[in-house]
């Protein structure tokens, strides 16, 4: 049987400032900080995870706040736009909310859907789209009620340096279904209710430059460790060289770069973010893997403190 990913697990990006990052994604967009930890490969840098109340796969956007990082350039070999799904009838609420925070918004249409397009404080491109599918959020923060709250990812727009090769990987390797084409994009769908719509720009995009305001990688879902091992064999059989399995504490991960230049990860749904914190206390404490605990004092001293706070519109 051909493997098929359920859709997006998470998306990871670079930003500059942890407090600004928290203010935007929690204070303005109303997401929950579900985990505060560090980049396991660079422990002087936070790794922050925002999502729904439980940090469900398909809702999680993660960030490396990198105060001294160079400014990135969105382009080929990247997720060009991260798309969030909101309940039907709620785009008017979001248009007004973003205006209250003086965030410039553009209305765009793609393959028959209307989007609100804007950028975060670092220039990362974000869209909101109304979708019927997907459960309503159970998390409410900063004046964003469940009636209007982000459900999770609507999907993503991929910018490829070789769209034909990326299209082949999306369908043959990941098992996505092509469902539409128009406006310069090909649309693919996975089986999940959220994180399931991928739009691939059909023309090659000049190579982007990694750095703040750009996506580092997009991760696809594997239901468990056994399936992830199958994914590793499948990816390898299609000519890629996936990494060994990496323990990321809250999921296990393998990585490969597809031929359009985009870094893909395949991440397991379990064990999830409640493995080391109670569900009602997610994101409140800096969580470290056991191998970093002996260095906690040094690590904490090197990280700039920040808080999750409500952001008044006139503060922006």
């Amino acid at each position: 049987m051909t493997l098929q990913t359920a859709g997006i697990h998470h998306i990871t990006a670079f930003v500059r400032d942890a407090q600004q990052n928290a203010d935007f994604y929690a204070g303005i967009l109303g997401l929950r900080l579900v985990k505060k930890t560090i980049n396991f490969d660079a422990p002087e840098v936070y790794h922050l995870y925002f999502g729904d109340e439980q940090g469900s796969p398909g809702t999680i956007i993660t960030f490396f706040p990198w105060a001294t990082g160079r400014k990135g350039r969105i382009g080929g070999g990247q997720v060009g736009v991260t798309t969030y799904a909101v309940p039907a009838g709620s785009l008017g609420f979001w248009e007004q909310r973003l205006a209250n925070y003086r965030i410039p918004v553009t209305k765009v249409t793609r393959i028959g859907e209307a989007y609100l397009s804007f950028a975060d404080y670092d220039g990362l491109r974000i869209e909101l789209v109304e979708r019927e599918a997907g459960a309503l959020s159970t998390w409410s923060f900063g004046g964003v009620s469940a009636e209007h709250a982000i459900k999770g990812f609507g999907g993503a727009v991929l910018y490829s340096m070789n769209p034909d090769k990326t299209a082949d990987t999306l369908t043959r390797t990941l098992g996505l279904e092509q469902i539409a084409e128009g406006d310069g994009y090909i649309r693919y769908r996975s089986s999940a209710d959220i994180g399931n719509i991928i739009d691939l720009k059909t023309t090659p995009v000049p190579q982007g430059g990694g750095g703040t305001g750009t996506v580092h990688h997009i991760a696809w879902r594997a239901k468990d460790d056994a399936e992830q091992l199958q994914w590793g064999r499948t990816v390898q059989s299609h000519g890629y060289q996936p990494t060994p399995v990496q323990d990321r504490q809250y999921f296990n991960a393998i990585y490969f770069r597809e031929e359009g230049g985009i870094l893909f990860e395949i991440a397991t749904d379990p064990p999830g973010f409640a493995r080391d914190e109670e569900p009602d206390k997610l994101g409140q404490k800096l969580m470290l893997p056991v191998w970093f605990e002996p260095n906690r004092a040094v690590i904490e001293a090197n990280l700039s403190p920040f808080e999750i706070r409500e952001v008044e519109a006139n503060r922006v």
Side-chain angles (χ1 to χ4, degrees):
M1 179 178 175
T2 303
L3 283 177
Q4 295 177 312
T5 181
I8 299 172
H9 184 281
H10 67 268
I11 291 173
T12 295
F14 291 113
V15 294
R16 186 173 294 276
D17 181 78
Q19 185 63 65
Q20 281 197 333
N21 184 233
D23 284 348
F24 193 88
Y25 287 89
I28 297 176
L29 295 189
L31 300 177
R32 186 183 188 187
L33 177 67
V34 295
K35 193 62 58 179
K36 177 167 60 172
T37 183
I38 56 171
N39 183 336
F40 296 167
D41 301 316
E44 70 278 8
V45 176
Y46 280 118
H47 195 174
L48 306 180
Y49 295 73
F50 297 86
D52 70 359
E53 187 167 11
Q54 298 80 30
S56 306
T59 75
I60 309 156
I61 191 164
T62 96
F63 297 98
F64 299 125
W66 189 19
T68 60
R70 67 180 181 274
K71 177 66 176 173
R73 184 181 67 260
I74 296 173
Q78 297 176 1
V79 171
V81 187
T82 298
T83 305
Y84 278 114
V86 297
S90 60
L91 277 189
F93 166 86
W94 282 103
E95 185 177 5
Q96 184 60 58
R97 183 173 177 84
L98 294 168
N100 290 345
Y101 287 100
R102 301 177 189 172
I103 296 171
V105 171
T106 302
K107 295 181 180 180
V108 298
T109 301
R110 187 172 65 252
I111 311 184
E113 289 188 303
Y115 297 81
L116 296 182
S117 176
F118 54 98
D120 74 4
Y121 295 142
D122 290 281
L124 196 73
R125 300 302 308 178
I126 305 291
E127 290 178 334
L128 299 178
V129 63
E130 294 180 357
R131 296 263 169 85
E132 293 283 356
L136 291 177
S137 172
T138 57
W139 182 252
S140 180
F141 183 76
V144 181
S145 68
E147 177 187 6
H148 301 114
I150 288 169
K151 298 178 181 183
F153 291 127
V157 179
L158 304 185
Y159 289 173
S160 173
M161 293 183 287
N162 190 332
D164 290 343
K165 294 291 187 180
T166 302
D168 186 67
T169 301
L170 292 174
T171 54
R172 281 204 321 122
T173 305
L174 296 178
L176 301 186
E177 176 189 7
Q178 182 178 332
I179 61 169
E181 183 171 358
D183 303 320
Y185 296 88
I186 303 174
R187 174 161 290 184
Y188 302 87
R189 181 176 59 199
S190 68
S191 60
D193 289 335
I194 56 172
N196 60 337
I197 300 295
I198 302 298
D199 288 342
L200 172 65
K201 192 171 178 62
T202 57
T203 54
V205 179
Q207 183 172 8
T212 59
T214 66
V215 169
H216 180 259
H217 66 266
I218 182 171
W220 309 97
R221 293 174 63 180
K223 68 179 181 180
D224 53 29
D225 289 337
E227 186 179 273
Q228 187 181 59
L229 293 177
Q230 291 181 271
W231 276 113
R233 291 191 291 270
T234 296
V235 167
Q236 194 165 33
S237 73
H238 290 168
Y240 295 108
Q241 296 299 316
T243 66
V245 174
Q246 309 291 310
D247 179 0
R248 299 309 190 195
Q249 289 293 99
Y250 312 107
F251 49 87
N252 289 324
I254 61 174
Y255 303 84
F256 68 100
R257 193 173 297 277
E258 56 82 39
E259 291 182 81
I262 306 167
L263 182 60
F264 282 177
E265 175 184 342
I266 299 176
T268 56
D269 283 359
F273 294 98
R275 69 171 299 178
D276 56 4
E277 291 181 290
E278 292 298 319
D280 63 341
K281 294 182 171 58
L282 292 178
Q284 294 184 14
K285 179 185 175 183
L286 179 69
M287 305 305 297
L288 300 177
V290 292
W291 59 90
F292 278 122
E293 276 295 346
N295 300 318
R296 174 175 284 273
V298 173
I299 289 170
E300 289 185 334
N302 285 330
L303 295 170
S304 299
F306 71 94
E307 60 181 329
I308 299 299
R309 62 191 184 186
E310 294 192 9
V311 179
E312 297 178 6
N314 61 11
R315 186 186 298 177
V316 178

